[in-house]
Each structure stands twice: as structure tokens, then as C-alpha cells.
Amino acid sequence: MTLQTAPGQPDLVITGATVLLHDENGDVQFVGDTTITITDGVFSAVESVHDAAVRGAGARGADASAAVSRARQTIDATGMIAMPGFINCHTHSPMVMFRGAAEDVPESRWFNEFIWPMEVNLTDDDVEVATRLAAAEMIRSGVTTFADHYFSMPAIAKVVDESGLRAVLGSTYFSTDGQAGLEQSLAFALEFAGASDGRITTALAPHAPYTVTDADLAATSAAALEHDLLVHIHASEDRHQMKHSRERFGHTPIETLRRAGLLENRLLLAHGIGIVPEDIPLLLGGGGSIGFGSAPRGYLKNGFDTTPVRLLDSFGIPVGLATDGAASNNTLDVWEAMTFLSLTQKARENDQTYMTSRQALGHATTKSAKAVQLGDSIGRIAPGYKADLILVDLSDPRSQPVHDYANTVVHGARSSDVDTTIVNGRVLMRGKKLLTIDVAGVIAELAPRLERLTDRSHGTSIQNYDA
Ligand SMILES: [Zn+2]
């Protein structure tokens, strides 16, 4: 039997959850016994008996009950937390193929002896298969959006389309690619902007100030302004790079970006560990909209310091969570990044009162959304926002008892507790079962490629690291 549906019929109603909401100041709160209604891929109502401020329209009860009775699909989330899906603000998702293949070496050897020689071997098809594995890992761990920076970007877009994820995609280039580098990145960005029902937004993706010339950075800035595109780039990645830039050029990497005009753009900067106070007026004064992606797990593994989040935050510059690629970070687990953010920032500032669980959740939600320039559409469970959310089971012994939901989520629960992942109102995982990706099939497809992918006997490399 086919049911005729009235216009505005809810696609999905989730009842009974305790929901992570943001108050008018943007502060995180948890509200129990809440009904979430999703229509046409967006949250159409969020209603709770406990907080009049979050009511969609009218009193809960009549409206929520009506929504449940008219919905195409309902989920009873009693006993679960509903929170915005995680946003991975900087990754190279296909690099899951090199997970564990370049370990325990300094950064220059990691690039020059392992990663860049291995990347000579890649085909578009390899990237597609590896991205499918990455997409499975992200959906499993509650990631609903990822900002990707890599090669063979149309192959990645194909996986975004079929997996149901949301992504901010930028095709990487170096100046050694010549003019063709920026041209292909721009062509991708223009062709795929708004693709997959708007789930794909795009960026220009120069690799870094040490692999892209000042002239090419300036051309990137001009192209981005002309076409209103985001620019996603690695910058001031660690303190050594910042010092080296000062010695070599007499100024910081951020000043290099300023001279190229890039600080006038919408700009997503990866890492920023080497950000110093003199960079702040530059970041604020360019007239652009600038955010950072911070990936603390990899920083610990590399023995680096971490992003100066307190400094950036104090000037209203958003810092979101990231994992970088799995060849350095091992996982694409943004939940883990949230926990490490809290721990490493407390240690960096030597201040137990800083980076509370609520602050960490702010970075995981609204600040990550702002960092990838999607603050108006994702990062909150609120009417009008895209329906990207996860349901989390807190029944594991390490999550019990719950005295404070924020603390339990950041320091007790883990990504393996994610039960359901929803993007654009579509359920991509339910009861921990992936609905859009065949993981066993992907692993079987990747396995016979690994020997060829990690071969370095050809003695060539896509690039040379000297920063
Ligand atoms: Zn990176």
C-alpha cells in the first residue's frame, strides 16, 4: 500500500532523547525528553517539556504527538543522547590506505621517505576505494561532515554522494604542478559546488605556503574572491615551521598568507600550532572570515605543541576539531579529537579550569561549523539547521552514572557508543549497522592493493618537504 503524503509531512521524528542544544549565548545545554522533527532534510521542530525556550511551535504534547503520528519514520531514542554530528575540519580521508605505514619518524622523513613516494602510486580508483573505508569509519564514529584536502577529488565526491555524508572538498595542488594545479582545483570547486543535494561544498586547496609559491597563493586568493570560494590550506603547522619561516623570510607563515591577499578570503587553516600573538592582528585585520582545524591526537604523537586555542578564542577566531589524515593520526575519530582537545589544552595552559567539557563541546559543534564556514547551516540541533545528528548510547559502564552529561560525553563515552548517524535527515547508520557502505567488501577490495600502494622502490616522489 502506498500512502499519499501531505505537504510538510515529517520525514523522521525522534522521541525521548536528551538533546545537546545551544542557548542564545551559544552555550551548550542538555535538555531531556525532547522530540526532534525532521522535514525535507532540516530540523523543523525541537520540542521539550523541560525548556520553553527550545519549543518549536506551541506546547509539546499536541504538536509532538501529531508529528509522530504523521511521520514517515520514527525513532524512539529514550535513554540516548542526541547531539549534532561531528565535523572533521581537516582531513585527507583516502590516507586511511596508509594507516600505520609510516610510523615513529620525524616529519621530514615521514613526508620524504614514506608518504610522498607512496603517493606516486595512487590511481583515482585507489582513492575511491580508500575513501569508502574512511567514510565507513567516519559514519561509525559519528562524523557527519568532513573537510577533505587531497588528490583525485572527483573520486572522493563520488563516495560522498553514495555514502550520504556531507563534505567540504578541496582538490590539493603544489606549485610544482604549474598553472594546471590551481586550474584543476578551481575547475573541481566550480563543478561540484552544491552537488549531491547540497551536501558538497567546495574549496580551493593549495597545499601549504612552503609548497605553493607566493605568486600562486596570490592567484589562489584572487580566484577565490572572484568565485566566492573557501580556501583550505595548511599553515604554521608547528612551531618549527614558524621559526624556519622567520629565519628564511623574516616573517611568520601568516604574514606570507597576508601578503598573498589570502586573509581577505574565507579561509580554513589546518593546525596553526605555530600561531604567535603577532599573527592575531593579521588574522583579524584582513577582512576575511578565518577558522582553524586542530588535530591534537597527531600533535601528541609527533611530540608537537598544540594549537593556541585560548589565544584564538579570546579574539573570536573559531577553532574546530580535526583528525588530519590517518597516516599521521591513525584514526578519523573526531570524538577522540574532542577528548584530546580538552586534555591537551588543560596541560598547555596549566589550568584545570580551562577547556571544560562544555567548552570542548562548543568546539565540537558550533565552532567546528564556523571553522568550515557552515555555521549558519550545521553544528546545532535547532529549527532551520540541516538535520545532521547522532544518537549515542550511554549504557556502557564507563558512561555510568551520569552526574553531568557534558562530562560524560567528553570524558566517559566514546565514538563506539554512537548508535545512529543521520545526515540531511537520512539515516546512514542505525543500531551500529552501516546502511550505505559494505565494510567487508571495501576491506577486501583494498587489501590486494596495499603492496603496490606502499612500494617505494621506484625512487621518485610527488614533492620534497623542506619547511
Ligand atoms: Zn593535513
Side-chain angles (χ1 to χ4, degrees):
M1 189 177 72
T2 305
L3 292 172
Q4 287 298 319
T5 56
Q9 179 189 23
D11 297 309
L12 175 61
V13 175
I14 300 166
T15 58
T18 295
V19 185
L20 188 163
L21 299 169
H22 297 84
D23 67 17
E24 57 274 19
N25 301 317
D27 292 332
V28 166
Q29 55 180 335
F30 286 86
V31 180
D33 197 12
T34 296
T35 299
I36 299 168
T37 305
I38 296 168
T39 309
D40 294 332
V42 302
F43 297 116
S44 47
V46 182
E47 304 169 69
S48 171
V49 285
H50 297 297
D51 187 342
V54 301
R55 285 178 192 174
R60 184 188 180 267
D63 282 11
S65 301
V68 169
S69 66
R70 292 193 298 119
R72 289 187 177 90
Q73 187 183 0
T74 59
I75 293 176
D76 179 359
T78 304
M80 293 207 191
I81 296 281
M83 54 190 280
F86 284 95
I87 299 162
N88 193 342
C89 295
H90 173 76
T91 187
H92 315 281
S93 66
M95 292 184 83
V96 292
M97 73 178 94
F98 300 132
R99 193 194 321 263
E103 294 287 306
D104 309 315
V105 290
E107 192 166 44
S108 58
R109 288 188 59 202
W110 186 84
F111 273 123
N112 290 330
E113 295 178 27
F114 292 92
I115 299 301
W116 280 341
M118 293 194 296
E119 285 181 336
V120 170
N121 305 323
L122 296 182
T123 66
D124 291 348
D125 195 56
D126 295 328
V127 169
E128 182 180 322
V129 173
T131 305
R132 215 166 269 131
L133 181 65
E137 181 183 358
M138 289 192 278
I139 295 168
R140 284 291 298 262
S141 56
V143 174
T144 52
T145 297
F146 66 108
D148 217 17
H149 196 299
Y150 209 58
F151 317 106
S152 301
M153 205 36 85
I156 296 172
K158 185 180 171 199
V159 177
V160 172
D161 187 68
E162 70 187 31
S163 67
L165 282 164
R166 190 181 304 284
V168 181
L169 303 181
S171 183
T172 304
Y173 56 98
F174 306 108
S175 278
T176 49
D177 301 330
Q179 214 175 335
L182 172 56
E183 281 173 4
Q184 62 80 23
S185 194
L186 179 60
F188 172 83
L190 295 177
E191 183 183 345
F192 284 86
S196 299
D197 296 324
R199 285 185 287 111
I200 293 179
T201 53
T202 56
L204 298 180
H207 176 259
Y210 55 85
T211 49
V212 178
T213 63
D214 293 353
D216 284 345
L217 291 175
T220 302
S221 173
L225 288 173
E226 182 185 344
H227 298 285
D228 190 25
L229 289 166
L230 172 70
V231 178
H232 182 180
I233 185 170
H234 299 91
S236 216
E237 293 173 88
D238 60 36
R239 297 189 70 78
H240 166 79
Q241 270 183 19
M242 181 270 295
K243 285 180 187 159
H244 197 206
S245 173
R246 274 181 168 158
E247 286 163 16
R248 208 182 254 190
F249 309 115
H251 54 74
T252 68
I254 299 302
E255 172 63 13
T256 300
L257 299 184
R258 189 196 68 77
R259 292 180 185 202
L262 278 165
L263 303 186
E264 299 164 31
N265 290 80
R266 293 190 292 127
L267 193 59
L268 171 57
L269 301 176
H271 311 312
I273 295 171
I275 293 294
V276 287
E278 75 191 67
D279 289 325
I280 297 294
L282 306 180
L283 292 167
L284 294 175
S289 173
I290 298 172
F292 283 82
S294 182
R297 185 189 211 283
Y299 307 156
L300 285 171
K301 198 164 170 235
N302 269 305
F304 293 163
D305 191 2
T306 189
T307 315
V309 176
R310 192 176 225 170
L311 174 69
L312 291 163
D313 234 359
S314 69
F315 291 96
I317 300 169
V319 180
L321 300 177
T323 66
D324 214 348
S328 57
N329 195 77
N330 294 79
T331 76
L332 302 180
D333 186 339
V334 180
W335 194 310
E336 203 175 49
M338 172 175 68
T339 306
F340 278 122
L341 180 85
S342 179
L343 298 174
T344 55
Q345 291 297 325
K346 283 176 181 291
R348 185 183 198 278
E349 301 296 334
N350 189 22
D351 182 357
Q352 295 92 333
T353 69
Y354 180 56
M355 200 51 79
T356 64
S357 297
R358 274 181 171 67
Q359 286 172 322
L361 285 165
H363 287 279
T365 56
T366 48
K367 287 176 182 173
S368 286
K370 277 186 192 156
V372 299
Q373 310 286 328
L374 293 174
D376 292 337
S377 57
I378 62 171
R380 289 176 190 245
I381 296 176
Y385 280 73
K386 300 288 187 190
D388 297 1
L389 80 157
I390 58 175
L391 300 176
V392 181
D393 180 359
L394 297 185
S395 66
D396 193 279
R398 79 179 119 64
S399 297
Q400 292 293 325
V402 178
H403 293 287
D404 174 67
Y405 280 111
N407 178 265
T408 299
V409 168
V410 175
H411 293 292
R414 293 180 188 167
S415 64
S416 55
D417 299 324
V418 176
D419 176 88
T420 298
T421 301
I422 295 169
V423 177
N424 228 25
R426 180 182 176 197
V427 181
L428 308 185
M429 181 175 79
R430 180 84 180 103
K432 301 192 180 182
K433 184 178 179 336
L434 290 169
L435 302 177
T436 58
I437 300 171
D438 165 20
V439 181
V442 173
I443 293 169
E445 212 179 340
L446 189 57
R449 301 173 188 233
L450 296 179
E451 191 175 335
R452 173 178 56 79
L453 288 169
T454 54
D455 176 36
R456 293 174 286 141
S457 64
H458 48 69
T460 56
S461 180
I462 63 162
Q463 196 60 224
N464 178 50
Y465 183 82
D466 174 28

